[in-house]
């Protein structure tokens, strides 16, 4: 495990203990990082506060990534908490209307198309921009987001989320170019299916898990812990010359053509 002592990070996207963001946060906390957390909505506030307290978090605050005011306030609070500096940002947020993960992509209405791109892709751009001055003050930084193969290939039912992930993946590359000048790295982890809150409600999730077991080179599914380990690497100084890229944690599934 990389050493994160003295490092300060902000984690967006913990909803409960199954969240990929929480698996990542635990690895960073094990490595000695100080972590601030955001949550969306009062419904999950208590859960997120309890998890955050268990790793001694100095800041837990609400953030709806659709709201510029929220993002501005969250980074002001983060700056206040960490003396104006930030070493890393974990972006683990996505949302599409459930109706758009069932039917045909062709039928996605305009407003729900933009909703998915707003929450799942633009939010990375907005939060990277807000993180920039804090990371510059720290002498550099590392930004990590979560993506999925459905942004590169057509995965049945992933639909508008696939279009959002394609936008997210391209945003990683353009942010890497802009922020590289300030020694801020931007990368993504592309995870195979993991049974989180966002995944459990999806019909056919068990089928996807069987497909990964049968067809991936390693013939097994992944765990969120695996994502935590890869994330810790990308966020650490061990990855100091790695930016603008995607690291697949999917048992090799993406490498297959059949
Ligand atoms: P999750 O439900 O635990 O996390 C999704 C998070 O997005 C939640 O914390 C939720 O509160 C947050 N969110 C949604 N709308 C928001 C908004 N408007 N403002 C702020 N936060 C908002 O599920 P997860 O599977 O841990 O998802 C995390 C990330 O991992 C997502 O980007 C997802 O696309 C990605 N991912 C998941 C899988 C999987 O199979 N679970 C695979 C690859 C990538
Ligand atoms: O990115 C995701 C899930 C994202 C997601 C999930 C939900 C369910 C609840 C976004 N928005 C919502 N909205 C809700 O109302 N994954 C990579 C997991 C996932 O979701 C799929 C998948 C996979 C894999 C949906 C269809 C097909 C495959």
């Amino acid at each position: 495990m990389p050493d994160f002592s003295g490092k300060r990070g902000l984690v967006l996207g913990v909803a409960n203990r199954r969240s990929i963001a929480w698996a990542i946060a635990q690895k960073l906390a094990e490595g000695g990082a100080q972590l601030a957390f955001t949550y969306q909505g009062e419904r999950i506030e208590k859960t997120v506060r309890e998890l955050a307290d268990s790793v001694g978090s100095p800041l837990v605050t609400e953030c709806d990534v659709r709201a510029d005011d929220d993002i501005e306030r969250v980074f002001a609070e983060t700056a206040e908490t960490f003396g104006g500096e930030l070493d890393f940002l974990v972006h683990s947020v996505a949302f599409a209307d459930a109706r758009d993960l069932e039917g045909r992509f062709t039928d996605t209405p305009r407003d729900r198309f933009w909703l998915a791109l707003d929450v799942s892709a633009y939010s990375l751009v907005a939060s990277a921009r807000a993180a920039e001055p804090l990371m510059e003050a720290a002498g550099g930084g590392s930004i990590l987001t979560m993506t999925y193969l459905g942004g590169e290939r057509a995965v049945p039912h992933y639909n508008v989320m696939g279009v959002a992930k394609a936008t997210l993946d391209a945003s990683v590359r353009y942010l890497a170019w802009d922020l590289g000048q300030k020694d801020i790295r931007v990368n993504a982890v592309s995870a195979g299916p993991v049974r989180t809150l966002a995944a459990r409600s999806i019909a056919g999730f068990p089928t996807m898990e069987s497909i990964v077991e049968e067809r991936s080179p390693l013939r097994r599914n992944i765990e969120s812990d695996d994502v935590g380990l890869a994330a810790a690497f990308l966020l650490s100084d061990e990855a100091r010359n790695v930016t603008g890229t995607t690291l697949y944690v999917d048992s090799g599934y993406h490498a297959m053509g059949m």
Side-chain angles (χ1 to χ4, degrees):
M1 270 293 290
D3 182 21
F4 289 106
S5 47
K7 301 280 189 191
R8 298 136 302 184
L10 173 66
V11 180
L12 278 67
V14 176
N16 58 34
R17 64 182 177 82
R18 285 212 157 81
S19 294
I20 289 174
W22 178 241
I24 296 171
Q26 281 177 292
K27 294 290 176 214
L28 302 174
E30 267 174 46
Q34 270 187 282
L35 298 174
F37 292 87
T38 71
Y39 62 89
Q40 187 213 6
E42 284 174 21
R43 281 176 306 109
I44 62 169
E45 176 174 2
K46 185 164 172 272
T47 308
V48 177
R49 281 197 187 280
E50 281 171 8
L51 292 170
D53 286 349
S54 75
V55 294
S57 171
L59 176 67
V60 183
T61 192
E62 185 163 15
C63 186
D64 182 331
V65 295
R66 288 170 298 186
D68 288 327
D69 293 355
D70 271 25
I71 294 179
E72 198 187 317
R73 176 184 44 77
V74 163
F75 281 86
E77 290 176 5
T78 302
E80 174 83 6
T81 304
F82 293 141
E85 299 183 10
L86 185 68
D87 301 291
F88 46 80
L89 171 66
V90 176
H91 173 276
S92 184
V93 170
F95 185 79
D97 190 294
R99 285 169 286 181
D100 298 323
L101 302 173
E102 295 167 3
R104 307 192 310 158
F105 169 64
T106 314
D107 298 327
T108 314
R110 192 188 298 272
D111 57 336
R112 302 205 306 250
F113 182 99
W114 291 118
L115 169 67
L117 270 82
D118 190 13
V119 175
S120 315
Y122 184 74
S123 62
L124 177 69
V125 183
S127 41
R129 186 168 59 245
E132 182 180 0
L134 282 70
M135 290 185 170
E136 192 176 8
S142 182
I143 299 176
L144 184 74
T145 189
M146 291 301 311
T147 192
Y148 176 61
L149 188 64
E152 306 169 61
R153 319 274 177 72
V155 172
H157 307 302
Y158 199 61
N159 297 0
V160 71
M161 268 309 306
V163 175
K165 291 302 191 191
T167 304
L168 180 75
D169 296 350
S171 301
V172 165
R173 295 184 282 270
Y174 282 96
L175 289 169
W177 167 248
D178 283 354
L179 303 183
Q181 224 160 17
K182 295 179 175 168
D183 206 8
I184 300 169
R185 300 180 296 101
V186 188
N187 293 290
V189 165
S190 182
V194 183
R195 251 187 239 211
T196 60
L197 183 65
R200 253 182 325 186
S201 60
I202 284 137
F205 209 78
T207 310
M208 283 191 296
E209 290 171 322
S210 324
I211 291 174
V212 171
E213 266 177 30
E214 274 171 38
R215 304 197 197 165
S216 66
L218 296 174
R219 287 146 176 107
R220 60 181 177 234
N221 277 285
I222 68 144
E223 290 169 18
S224 57
D225 222 44
D226 306 327
V227 177
L229 290 166
F233 166 68
L234 287 170
L235 289 166
S236 76
D237 291 336
E238 290 174 15
R240 64 186 174 272
N241 284 330
V242 181
T243 194
T245 198
T246 300
L247 179 52
Y248 293 84
V249 179
D250 67 347
S251 303
Y253 183 82
H254 71 283
M256 302 302 297
M258 275 286 269

